[in-house]
Amino acid sequence: LAKTTQPISMDSYEGQEVNITCSHNNIATNDYITWYQQFPSQGPRFIIQGYKTKVTNEVASLFIPADRKSSTLSLPRVSLSDTAVYYCLSREYGNKLVFGAGTILRVKS
Amino acid sequence: EAQVTQNPRYLITVTGKKLTVTCSQNMNHEYMSWYRQDPGLGLRQIYYSMNVEVTDKGDVPEGYKVSRKEKRNFPLILESPSPNQTSLYFCASSFGTGNSPLHFGNGTRLTVT
């Protein structure tokens, strides 16, 4: 049974780099790893997605090791507005999706 | 504007009274799915649909029904709600399946007394 595990919470200060790691022990061979961000009273929104090595966009970077059993979301120089819950997502089988329980990121000034 | 629309945003009901939460998307997405979000448990998939007339169970389907008669709509039905179904519900859609990013609605907060 696929299980997606991530830390419950993290604290950071403005301007720091934040790394959130997720483990996905049974990810499908052809599956991507996807991360979402959620603010209060809103649905999650897509941040970044990758298959292996490193992916970077205007918001974040995603690092995926060769065995693909984990991934690390990296947020450079966080600001107060990055305070949110971050979810990683993998696929169990077929099209059944398994989210991690979410990491609450608190950014302080 | 491309969006997933859920209604209602808030709903309070009593045990056993059938209810339907609607979900509609205007992006011509094939894949649609429902999730419930509970403290400490994150998002858990209830049901998903690969296309019209094709639905499958997710992780926590007990007590829920869905239908996909049209591509844009994917209603969630609680035939006999119980207090343990009090939760925050999200509908989401995506192109194709699996690896396509999900687009979420803004949620429906359901309270069953």
Side-chain angles (χ1 to χ4, degrees):
Chain A
L1 195 66
K3 188 170 174 60
T4 304
T5 307
Q6 51 185 123
I8 295 172
S9 65
M10 297 181 73
D11 290 332
S12 182
Y13 288 93
E14 284 188 291
Q16 289 186 329
E17 179 184 74
V18 171
N19 296 308
I20 306 173
T21 298
C22 177
S23 65
H24 16 81
N25 65 341
N26 201 26
I27 187 170
T29 303
N30 60 347
D31 195 28
Y32 280 61
I33 295 129
T34 313
W35 283 79
Y36 292 83
Q37 176 191 55
Q38 185 181 26
F39 297 112
S41 302
Q42 294 182 22
R45 67 174 186 138
F46 171 82
I47 303 176
I48 197 167
Q49 181 180 68
Y51 184 76
K52 61 181 178 180
T53 63
K54 178 183 175 183
V55 178
T56 297
N57 62 20
E58 65 277 6
V59 176
S61 294
L62 181 61
F63 299 90
I64 304 168
D67 66 6
R68 299 188 353 101
K69 292 187 182 300
S70 67
S71 60
T72 298
L73 174 72
S74 181
L75 304 171
R77 297 183 300 282
V78 294
S79 64
L80 295 175
S81 63
D82 292 315
T83 293
V85 181
Y86 293 82
Y87 291 95
C88 65
L89 170 66
S90 66
R91 196 152 43 119
E92 183 170 295
Y93 58 85
N95 293 290
K96 188 174 174 181
L97 302 178
V98 181
F99 280 89
T103 298
I104 301 169
L105 173 63
R106 289 180 285 257
V107 180
K108 306 172 187 176
S109 59
Chain B
E1 181 190 350
Q3 59 186 2
V4 176
T5 304
Q6 295 178 228
N7 280 299
R9 288 294 307 273
Y10 301 92
L11 180 58
I12 301 173
T13 190
V14 296
T15 299
K17 187 176 181 181
K18 180 179 178 179
L19 66 91
T20 299
V21 184
T22 64
C23 174
S24 179
Q25 49 91 7
N26 62 359
M27 296 168 280
N28 201 35
H29 285 168
E30 290 87 4
Y31 186 90
M32 296 187 75
S33 52
W34 277 101
Y35 304 84
R36 61 177 291 173
Q37 186 174 44
D38 302 289
L41 298 176
L43 290 152
R44 293 180 293 169
Q45 192 177 50
I46 302 171
Y47 269 96
Y48 62 94
S49 169
M50 304 279 287
N51 214 323
V52 176
E53 302 293 1
V54 180
T55 62
D56 265 307
K57 296 178 180 179
D59 256 349
V60 289
E62 294 78 21
Y64 305 94
K65 284 175 56 177
V66 293
S67 70
R68 189 91 182 272
K69 293 183 171 53
E70 305 163 282
K71 196 171 187 179
R72 64 182 291 127
N73 296 324
F74 190 46
L76 179 69
I77 303 154
L78 283 71
E79 296 267 1
S80 182
S82 62
N84 65 11
Q85 292 178 299
T86 292
S87 186
L88 180 58
Y89 291 88
F90 289 99
C91 178
S93 71
S94 67
F95 278 117
T97 59
N99 291 318
S100 300
L102 292 164
H103 296 253
F104 282 85
N106 280 327
T108 296
R109 184 166 293 282
L110 172 66
T111 302
V112 184
T113 60

